[in-house]
Amino acid sequence: MSVKQYKLYLIDLDGTIYNGDKKIKYAKEFVDYLNTNNIDYLFLTNNSTRQPKEVAEHLKNFDIDTSEEHVFTSSDATKIYLKGKGYKNLYVIGESGLKNTLSSFNQKENEDCVDAVVVGLDRKLSYDKLAIATRAILKGAELIGTNPDTLLPTANGFMPSNGGQVKYLEYATSTPATFIGKPSKIIMESAINLFSYSKDEIVMIGDNYDTDIMAGINGGIDTIHVQTGVTSVEDLESKAHKPTYSIKNLFELVK
């Protein structure tokens, strides 16, 4: 099956470019192809703990030649969302990647006069942080999750991710969260709006149907499922909305 050529590729990382600490075959060749032919692309990641420069540095471990201009994180999309809402005062739960990205906002230490509570993965999460966030939400602050991920793949197996932290606050406050990262169309629209391409010139590539492929579907663009990670070809058979393409590996996109 011949796959259409696009002008902008939005690309997932874990399961698509690498698996944990292991390289995925042909990922380097695909990115080299994009670079050589000056084709626009963005690595689209739900990870809020790293800034784009750190992500680009991390990709060097997998022989991926790229730069921070080609990385768009859930923290970046969160910043755009917050600016669009006109928020100024935040209570932020998260690590340095998120806090540094949101450095232009007033990040408060308590719940007073907070416009939004922003929650990203925090591996030093405490009850005190959750208590402040709860009080701010009950006072009317919007609850925002950088991503809804339930599990974080690590070298030691799966660990809890950001979704559980946000669910705690949703349950405690009876307040639904606004999620920014995949599969939300918020991160998709934020990334797409950085360029001037029409939606039929853009594609989302990823291994995980529930996050990557659904993000593309929710964003109204074509999708390419790559069979190197979470979702198998057999898994796709039960899905009501199929990806535009399903390919064995990224080499099938090198023309």
Side-chain angles (χ1 to χ4, degrees), residues 36-52:
T36 300
N37 290 279
N38 295 313
I39 299 171
D40 283 324
Y41 67 94
L42 275 182
F43 291 113
L44 209 62
T45 175
N46 272 2
N47 189 336
S48 67
T49 64
R50 290 180 176 143
Q51 291 184 279

Side-chain angles (χ1 to χ4, degrees), residues 125-180:
L125 182 66
S126 67
Y127 184 81
D128 285 345
K129 292 178 182 180
L130 291 169
I132 293 171
T134 295
R135 292 195 294 269
I137 296 163
L138 291 175
K139 287 184 175 183
E142 183 177 1
L143 172 57
I144 298 170
T146 59
N147 64 78
D149 298 7
T150 56
L151 294 172
L152 178 71
T154 74
N156 297 316
F158 286 107
M159 302 295 184
S161 192
N162 188 47
Q165 298 179 163
V166 180
K167 283 294 182 185
Y168 180 103
L169 293 170
E170 286 186 315
Y171 187 80
T173 64
S174 299
T175 302
T178 299
F179 282 107
I180 305 296

Side-chain angles (χ1 to χ4, degrees), residues 49-59 68 96-97 100:
T49 64
R50 290 180 176 143
Q51 291 184 279
K53 184 176 181 180
E54 296 171 299
V55 175
E57 287 295 319
H58 180 65
L59 284 168
E68 61 185 289
S96 61
N100 289 338

Side-chain angles (χ1 to χ4, degrees), residues 155-206:
N156 297 316
F158 286 107
M159 302 295 184
S161 192
N162 188 47
Q165 298 179 163
V166 180
K167 283 294 182 185
Y168 180 103
L169 293 170
E170 286 186 315
Y171 187 80
T173 64
S174 299
T175 302
T178 299
F179 282 107
I180 305 296
K182 300 176 291 183
S184 170
K185 66 179 182 180
I186 295 176
I187 191 171
M188 302 305 292
E189 290 174 351
S190 298
I192 289 169
N193 288 339
L194 296 174
F195 300 84
S196 58
Y197 298 120
S198 60
K199 287 192 173 182
D200 63 352
E201 297 174 313
I202 306 169
V203 69
M204 177 71 210
I205 304 174

Side-chain angles (χ1 to χ4, degrees), residues 50-247:
R50 290 180 176 143
Q51 291 184 279
K53 184 176 181 180
E54 296 171 299
V55 175
E57 287 295 319
H58 180 65
L59 284 168
K60 289 182 180 178
N61 297 325
F62 305 98
D63 297 326
I64 302 299
D65 180 21
T66 193
S67 62
E68 61 185 289
E69 290 78 15
H70 292 289
V71 179
F72 192 73
T73 72
S74 60
S75 296
D76 294 321
T78 300
K79 181 178 180 179
I80 292 171
Y81 176 82
L82 293 168
K83 283 187 173 181
K85 298 284 282 189
Y87 292 152
K88 294 180 173 59
N89 300 313
L90 311 177
Y91 182 70
V92 181
I93 292 176
E95 300 184 6
S96 61
L98 177 60
K99 291 185 174 182
N100 289 338
T101 300
L102 301 182
S103 61
S104 60
F105 296 88
N106 179 23
Q107 298 183 35
K108 298 176 67 67
E109 298 296 325
N110 57 54
E111 68 272 19
D112 295 333
C113 301
V114 171
D115 298 314
V117 171
V118 180
V119 185
L121 179 63
D122 187 340
R123 284 166 284 200
K124 293 185 178 179
L125 182 66
S126 67
Y127 184 81
D128 285 345
K129 292 178 182 180
L130 291 169
I132 293 171
T134 295
R135 292 195 294 269
I137 296 163
L138 291 175
K139 287 184 175 183
E142 183 177 1
L143 172 57
I144 298 170
T146 59
N147 64 78
D149 298 7
T150 56
L151 294 172
L152 178 71
T154 74
N156 297 316
F158 286 107
M159 302 295 184
S161 192
N162 188 47
Q165 298 179 163
V166 180
K167 283 294 182 185
Y168 180 103
L169 293 170
E170 286 186 315
Y171 187 80
T173 64
S174 299
T175 302
T178 299
F179 282 107
I180 305 296
K182 300 176 291 183
S184 170
K185 66 179 182 180
I186 295 176
I187 191 171
M188 302 305 292
E189 290 174 351
S190 298
I192 289 169
N193 288 339
L194 296 174
F195 300 84
S196 58
Y197 298 120
S198 60
K199 287 192 173 182
D200 63 352
E201 297 174 313
I202 306 169
V203 69
M204 177 71 210
I205 304 174
D207 68 294
N208 189 320
Y209 180 89
D210 294 328
T211 54
D212 307 319
I213 303 306
M214 281 307 303
I217 292 170
N218 290 336
I221 61 173
D222 283 357
T223 55
I224 299 174
H225 166 251
V226 61
Q227 302 160 21
T228 52
V230 172
T231 304
S232 68
V233 178
E234 291 74 23
D235 292 333
L236 294 178
E237 293 177 4
S238 63
K239 305 299 183 183
H241 302 285
K242 302 290 194 292
T244 312
Y245 305 97
S246 181
I247 60 175

